[in-house]
Amino acid sequence: MMNNLQYGSDLIVDIIKQHGIEYVACNPGATIRGLHDSIVNYNCNHSPELILCCHEEIAVAIAHGYAKASNKYMAVLLHSNVGLQHASMAIFNAWCDRVPLLVINGIGPLDTSKRRAWIDWIHTSNNQASIVRDYVKWYDQPYNLSSVSESLYRACKITNTEPKAPVYVAIDTSVQEDAIDDKINLLDISKYSPAASASANPEALQHVAELLVNAEFPIIIVDYLGRNPEAVQQLIKLAELLSIPVIDGIERYNFPTDHPLYLSGAGEEFFSNADVILSLDVNDLAGVLGPNPLNKAVKIININLADYLISSWAADYQKLYPIDIAIAADTSVMLPELYKLCNQLLGNTNQDKYIAKFNYINQQQIALRATWRDSALEVVSILNAIWDEIKQEDWILTNYGNIHIAAWLKKLWVFNKENCYLGGSGGAGLGYGLGASIGAALVYRDTNKICIDIQSDGDLLFTPSALWTAAHYKVPLLIIVMNNRSYGNTKKHSCKIA
């Protein structure tokens, strides 16, 4: 590393390489041509490899899907203010979905004497980050190469610290393209690692354990917990210890859908009977619990890191909901501690009631599954047909198309292994599905895993040129387009109003 170092962009590429970033996606432009050249020539286009895209929204979506499939992160290069404007929707999706992403935006030349007539003037802006600053975790516009170095180390640390989200660094073309006069050494990356995740307050967690152990019919609801795969196994252990049914959302793989305690899609009576509800990484409690009649004495416990990442611009924090115990903690760190406390409280407790409860919940699940399979809905027959073809293969579902399909997928398919299901876009911004699926499939490009994109037709029409990137880089992806012969969202709303 740092052999034949000549230009600022060479050093930037060395920093990217040092952080283990394997891919950099971009739609080329003048303000990132220095970085483009250094990745291809100085770096020999090897780790990081440049992934060319026909649109910035595709580039960011690829990085979005890659992060969820690999539990690592990519960098994206954006050209000036126009590239950033194209990418802004996809950055918002990544923000809402809480995925790490390093956005490097070319800017300038800020030195007006270096600007080409017309084009460099209209593609240079003051405070370029203003376009996205309300939905990135951190942003910076460093002045010179030594400042760029510190900015990038800080950006990589911040984006990978929970709660994770995109970060943004704008780098002047002159900083990229000017020759290096003074030697600038790489920093010791071990000294700039992401901060350790937050655990729960001990007294509050002890109270939660006591409530769960003493409850007659507790319920666990989850949604984003599976962003850390190790948390899934810890959740299974806790649910099995106390025979607690699990209601799973659609944003991640959180719990095996063939587990006897999986009870998503259960009727209102399960909520009305619950005396304790443990919510883990659920951002929209009102959306989950609001429609259901609840026991007036029910205790609601909410554990996540949502309050650590709030934007005043985007209301992705959802409706305020009354909570009895709120704990800010990383569920992957908290769950082993909660399991240990519950296990200690149980001691030599008679297990008969837990066995009986386990069997009761399992019977309810079996009955529910029979009604799902026998449904006459067309989407059920389609998803069953796809499942019959792929269930014996090694597969991953990279995109679910829309929320109605997602709900049925979790009822009909068996999701029971790490990273088999990546969830949706986060921000519900159209144009996500194909790019994110390509990014996820990029992770498995040299394997036999079948990557499946259940693709809504309207979303596909936003970014069809992503197919060029998939073909050019030989990324294997099975795309199944769900064609409803209309722009369905508009049709439904028009019918409702009419």
Side-chain angles (χ1 to χ4, degrees), residues 308-461:
Y308 284 176
L309 199 65
I310 290 287
S311 167
S312 298
W313 180 82
D316 62 320
Y317 42 76
Q318 302 294 332
K319 182 178 175 61
L320 192 64
Y321 196 84
I323 297 166
D324 296 285
I325 302 174
I327 299 177
D330 184 336
T331 48
S332 66
V333 177
M334 176 278 303
L335 277 170
E337 299 172 357
L338 181 58
Y339 175 86
K340 182 178 179 180
L341 290 171
C342 290
N343 203 21
Q344 289 172 349
L345 288 170
L346 282 175
N348 297 319
T349 301
N350 188 317
Q351 294 295 308
D352 288 348
K353 77 166 186 175
Y354 293 109
I355 295 171
K357 190 190 301 182
F358 186 96
N359 291 334
Y360 169 74
I361 295 165
N362 188 23
Q363 290 303 313
Q364 297 303 309
Q365 191 219 51
I366 292 171
L368 275 171
R369 196 166 292 280
T371 63
W372 298 336
R373 286 287 178 187
D374 294 339
S375 173
L377 290 174
E378 186 178 21
V379 69
V380 172
S381 62
I382 293 169
L383 295 179
N384 278 333
I386 298 170
W387 172 244
D388 288 340
E389 292 298 322
I390 61 100
K391 62 185 177 183
Q392 301 301 326
E393 306 289 342
D394 182 16
W395 56 272
I396 174 174
L397 183 68
T398 60
N399 176 46
Y400 58 58
N402 67 54
I403 58 174
H404 306 293
I405 290 175
W408 277 109
L409 278 163
K410 284 214 165 183
K411 293 176 180 178
L412 300 173
W413 291 21
V414 176
F415 298 96
N416 60 6
K417 57 186 177 181
E418 181 180 329
N419 280 349
C420 60
Y421 173 90
L422 300 185
S425 66
L430 290 173
Y432 161 86
L434 185 54
S437 294
I438 293 168
L442 185 63
V443 177
Y444 300 103
R445 179 168 53 170
D446 299 320
T447 72
N448 292 321
K449 187 179 288 290
I450 297 175
C451 300
I452 305 166
D453 170 19
I454 295 185
Q455 179 66 54
S456 54
D457 53 352
D459 182 78
L460 174 67
L461 291 173

Side-chain angles (χ1 to χ4, degrees), residues 51-305:
I51 304 296
L52 293 177
C53 305
C54 299
H55 195 287
E56 288 82 2
E57 188 170 357
I58 297 167
V60 176
I62 285 175
H64 186 164
Y66 174 90
K68 291 199 286 188
S70 67
N71 297 311
K72 296 185 288 186
Y73 69 117
M74 277 179 61
V76 176
L77 306 182
L78 300 178
H79 164 50
S80 187
N81 50 7
V82 289
L84 182 60
Q85 288 177 88
H86 274 307
S88 60
M89 179 63 255
I91 294 171
F92 178 70
N93 277 339
W95 160 270
C96 292
D97 210 21
R98 301 300 188 255
V99 299
L101 173 64
L102 175 61
V103 178
I104 299 176
N105 195 184
I107 188 171
L110 292 176
D111 182 347
T112 58
S113 68
K114 294 184 178 181
R115 290 182 192 168
R116 296 171 295 162
W118 181 64
I119 190 67
D120 279 347
W121 289 84
I122 62 172
H123 283 184
T124 300
S125 57
N126 294 317
N127 192 14
Q128 196 161 281
S130 63
I131 300 170
V132 297
R133 67 183 178 188
D134 288 310
Y135 43 95
V136 293
K137 191 176 180 183
W138 180 76
Y139 63 92
D140 196 21
Q141 188 173 312
Y143 171 71
N144 55 23
L145 191 57
S146 60
S147 300
V148 166
S149 177
E150 178 170 327
S151 181
L152 288 173
Y153 282 96
R154 189 186 304 276
C156 293
K157 174 184 171 72
I158 289 173
T159 195
N160 287 297
T161 298
E162 291 284 359
K164 297 176 181 179
V167 292
Y168 168 95
V169 179
I171 304 177
D172 193 322
T173 55
S174 296
V175 173
Q176 299 175 49
E177 298 180 22
D178 285 354
I180 296 177
D181 295 324
D182 300 321
K183 185 176 181 180
I184 301 176
N185 293 318
L186 296 176
L187 302 179
D188 179 356
I189 196 171
S190 67
K191 305 295 185 182
Y192 304 93
S193 301
S197 292
S199 185
N201 175 277
E203 290 79 11
L205 199 62
Q206 178 70 34
H207 189 196
V208 171
E210 292 169 356
L211 285 173
L212 289 174
V213 169
N214 295 321
E216 289 298 318
F217 198 81
I219 288 178
I220 296 174
I221 57 176
V222 287
D223 205 7
Y224 279 92
L225 175 137
R227 74 191 189 285
N228 292 316
E230 63 273 17
V232 175
Q233 296 306 315
Q234 296 298 330
L235 175 59
I236 294 170
K237 287 181 61 178
L238 178 66
E240 290 178 346
L241 178 69
L242 300 175
S243 294
I244 305 178
V246 176
I247 310 293
D248 190 6
I250 61 173
E251 296 305 334
R252 291 293 189 276
Y253 164 64
N254 300 299
F255 198 78
T257 60
D258 59 346
H259 193 284
L261 293 173
Y262 179 83
L263 211 58
S264 293
E268 294 179 346
E269 69 274 10
F270 283 93
F271 286 97
S272 62
N273 291 332
D275 50 355
V276 174
I277 295 176
L278 174 60
S279 166
L280 302 175
D281 290 321
V282 177
N283 291 344
D284 186 11
L285 268 177
V288 176
L289 299 179
N292 296 287
L294 299 181
N295 182 341
K296 290 183 179 179
V298 67
K299 295 293 184 183
I300 298 176
I301 306 157
N302 190 37
I303 303 177
N304 62 26
L305 289 171

